Amino acid sequence: MSIATRHPDVRPPSLPPFGTALPDRPRHVQRTSPLLLKLVELDPREVIEGVMTPAGFVTADVVPVGPMREACPHCDGVALQLVLRHRHVKRSHLFCRSCTRVYDALNESGYSVLTV
């Protein structure tokens, strides 16, 4: 079970005695409450290789995986794009195509949900 879907107050059941068959249980447990994420703006130099110029931060072309449900806090109704770590990308992050800001998404415990 991943950290993003585990409730902090849920403890694994004790194991039955050796030789006893385990009961059939679903592998994944459905969350009953939505996962609340906190968006934290990141410095682009920390997440992608590039060069700072007077005109702004210049990087190689990076292809995002797709839109997420989270919207940019600075742009009205613009969905953030997920960018995975690959080639010039040092760290997975969320990217806004409109204002070019980058974000990390933290769960209730303060851990990034974009890291594996």
Side-chain angles (χ1 to χ4, degrees):
M1 188 181 306
S2 73
I3 292 175
T5 58
R6 187 181 72 208
H7 292 281
D9 57 341
V10 175
R11 304 214 185 278
S14 60
L15 294 174
F18 183 73
T20 307
L22 293 174
D24 290 332
R25 289 183 278 168
R27 285 189 65 175
H28 302 285
V29 178
Q30 182 79 23
R31 278 187 70 94
T32 56
S33 62
L35 180 64
L36 300 176
L37 299 177
K38 177 181 175 184
L39 295 177
V40 177
E41 189 171 352
L42 302 172
D43 184 354
R45 294 173 287 192
E46 294 177 4
V47 296
I48 191 164
E49 294 175 358
V51 177
M52 186 59 82
T53 65
F57 192 66
V58 179
T59 66
D61 287 338
V62 176
V63 180
V65 176
M68 303 299 289
R69 67 176 180 168
E70 287 74 29
C72 179
H74 296 281
C75 303
D76 190 31
V78 177
L80 294 173
Q81 302 282 319
L82 175 63
V83 179
L84 297 176
R85 192 175 65 165
H86 182 68
R87 293 188 184 164
H88 305 291
V89 179
K90 299 176 193 176
R91 177 179 173 186
S92 298
H93 60 277
L94 299 174
F95 172 73
C96 178
R97 287 187 179 259
S98 179
C99 66
T100 67
R101 288 183 170 99
V102 293
Y103 299 93
D104 191 4
L106 306 178
N107 63 9
E108 295 105 357
S109 302
Y111 294 104
S112 175
V113 296
L114 301 177
T115 57
V116 178

